[in-house]
Amino acid sequence: MVGDHMRLLVTGGAGYIGSHTVIELIGAGHDVVILDNLSNSHTVVIDRISEISGTRPTLVVGDIGDAELVDSLLSEHSPEAVVHFAGLKAVGESVAQPLRYYRNNVAGTISLLERLDAHDIRTLVFSSSATVYGEPESLPITEDAPVWSVNPYGETKVQIEHILSDLAVSDDRWRFAALRYFNPVGAHPSGRIGEDPPDIPNNLMPYITQVAVGALDRVMVFGDDYDTPDGTGVRDYIHVVDLARGHVAAIDALGDRSGFHAWNLGTGVGTSVLELINTFRSVNEVDIPYEITPRRPGDTAASYTDPAKAERDLGWKAQHDVADMCRHSWRWQSRNPTGYRG
Ligand code: NAD
Ligand code: UD1
């Protein structure tokens, strides 16, 4: 049964968003077991989670697609619900290696769902993405906008959402939340956990923090000729701690809802590339050299949510502004200049 304090399985819980969410779940009184193959994370994260939360979550190192391992984990820990972060997430890599993305994300999720079904566990919160809105036709984006994708990574999110929705139709005991994240940035205010990309970052905020720490020369601003107020791309940046709290709210909300539900998680505020760079500079008092370069293929001019549905159904609203996101991203990066490898 879905209740107040639950035993939860968190797949991908050692990753960037997963680790912040585990802290909020523990804070809300839940017991957490993490399943992570560490393909994009480090065990030291678990030490940091325990340091911040005062509780050490159990870590099972392994793959969501390993049916035998998942079976034994479910038998041993009997979770009542799942928060499913595990997945590969680099858009460019997904274009170069589509089979790896479909195998890991889609086939991995199907295998996980089969094992959950066999163990009568039918409540799951899924990490979806605003990428499922493709190139949005109108702004702000609401949950009923068409769902389609422009790259294999996005297609894995669309396909998984369809699988969850079909399953929910087939058997009304399933309870699914697809949380469509806008642009998660920031870090835990303690400065102990944060985003740690393995290579040169693809995303804007980790690129800015690497420039700030001196690891990279300057930010390439991908285009200043978009139809936006200053010509640079506009996105709905959301603090990762707010996003993490959205998962706690979604688990609660599934307590009295069956079926498949999609919720956008964002602030509703659009911020341009130059606004983000300038806010980072002013709140942290560090210089961020930048250069305007051509547009990045596949980018849209602007993307931001209408946060009303999440606020109404989940009783959740983002609390942090862009200045907090910049402050906390810098605190994490400046105290951990080489991330978890330091
Ligand atoms: P992350 O790479 O930091 O975390 C993902 C975690 O899953 C990692 O710890 C990785 O080791 C693990 N993992 C990957 N494949 C696995 C598998 N087959 N079995 C077990 N563990 C596996 O990424 P993140 O930024 O924390 O993203 C978490 C989820 O949110 C992903 O599904 C991602 O697609 C989605 N998402 C992220 C963003 C973003 O901007 N970060 C935006 C929208 C959606
Ligand atoms: C990207 C992915 C999206 C994914 C999301 C979270 C693409 C096309 N989209 O979203 O599928 O869900 O990350 O992982 O990759 N920018 C620069 N310079 C940079 C990096 C980015 O100017 O070095 C600009 C971009 O043009 C965009 C904004 O900054 O306007 C944000 O970019 P980014 O952080 O990569 O996120 P998205 O492109 O929104």
Side-chain angles (χ1 to χ4, degrees):
M1 271 302 291
V2 176
D4 271 350
H5 300 295
M6 290 195 289
R7 291 183 304 278
L8 301 176
L9 166 62
V10 180
T11 75
Y16 170 47
I17 303 168
S19 55
H20 289 82
T21 303
V22 168
I23 288 169
E24 298 304 316
L25 290 169
I26 291 172
H30 300 300
D31 285 331
V32 172
V33 53
I34 294 172
L35 172 63
D36 198 303
N37 65 7
L38 304 179
S39 58
N40 197 33
S41 50
H42 305 263
T43 47
V44 66
V45 172
I46 308 301
D47 301 333
R48 306 259 175 117
I49 292 173
S50 354
E51 180 191 308
I52 296 167
S53 69
T55 301
R56 192 174 184 85
T58 305
L59 169 68
V60 175
V61 178
D63 201 285
I64 54 166
D66 181 342
E68 220 171 291
L69 174 86
V70 172
D71 263 334
S72 81
L73 182 160
L74 298 178
S75 300
E76 187 181 343
H77 296 278
S78 344
E80 294 148 287
V82 181
V83 188
H84 178 31
F85 294 102
L88 299 172
K89 62 165 184 177
V91 174
E93 193 180 64
S94 79
V95 174
Q97 304 172 28
L99 288 178
R100 184 169 161 239
Y101 272 67
Y102 287 112
R103 160 71 58 195
N104 191 81
N105 294 5
V106 181
T109 299
I110 292 173
S111 179
L112 175 68
L113 288 164
E114 286 171 342
R115 299 338 305 151
L116 295 175
D117 192 28
H119 288 256
D120 287 327
I121 301 159
R122 296 196 182 79
T123 301
L124 181 139
V125 175
F126 172 59
S127 294
S128 190
S129 167
T131 194
V132 302
Y133 295 118
E135 283 162 35
E137 281 160 21
S138 62
L139 293 167
I141 303 173
T142 51
E143 287 81 353
D144 53 9
V147 162
W148 58 290
S149 77
V150 289
N151 55 61
Y153 163 71
E155 183 60 27
T156 69
K157 295 295 180 194
V158 170
Q159 289 188 6
I160 294 167
E161 283 206 11
H162 286 156
I163 291 166
L164 300 180
S165 152
D166 289 346
L167 256 186
V169 169
S170 75
D171 181 337
D172 64 12
R173 289 175 300 171
W174 288 104
R175 295 158 184 258
F176 293 120
L179 301 183
R180 296 174 178 161
Y181 312 156
F182 277 67
N183 286 62
V185 297
H188 195 269
S190 64
R192 296 295 284 158
I193 60 168
E195 187 167 11
D196 182 21
D199 309 304
I200 294 179
N202 297 308
N203 299 118
L204 181 59
M205 182 64 100
Y207 206 104
I208 291 174
T209 60
Q210 296 265 303
V211 169
V213 88
L216 295 167
D217 281 354
R218 72 198 63 204
V219 177
M220 308 297 167
V221 175
F222 296 149
D224 66 351
D225 56 352
Y226 285 106
D227 183 14
T228 59
D230 66 17
T232 66
V234 165
R235 295 292 184 273
D236 185 339
Y237 297 97
I238 172 166
H239 196 295
V240 65
V241 171
D242 282 326
L243 187 65
R245 291 178 182 155
H247 294 72
V248 179
I251 284 281
D252 285 349
L254 289 181
D256 51 26
R257 270 183 188 81
S258 64
F260 173 88
H261 307 272
W263 285 291
N264 288 349
L265 296 188
T267 62
V269 177
T271 302
S272 76
V273 175
L274 291 182
E275 282 172 329
L276 191 68
I277 291 174
N278 287 329
T279 305
F280 192 96
R281 276 176 165 162
S282 66
V283 301
N284 295 318
E285 298 178 354
V286 285
D287 189 27
I288 305 293
Y290 69 84
E291 179 187 328
I292 308 290
T293 67
R295 293 179 179 192
R296 179 171 64 181
D299 276 356
T300 54
S303 161
Y304 50 90
T305 187
D306 174 349
K309 187 181 179 205
E311 196 175 339
R312 187 186 69 229
D313 294 351
L314 306 180
W316 169 92
K317 196 174 184 323
Q319 303 296 326
H320 292 93
D321 62 11
V322 167
D324 293 332
M325 303 177 207
C326 290
R327 202 173 285 119
H328 297 154
S329 285
W330 180 230
R331 192 174 296 160
W332 152 251
Q333 188 76 80
S334 56
R335 293 183 188 179
N336 304 269
T338 53
Y340 293 114
R341 283 147 295 204

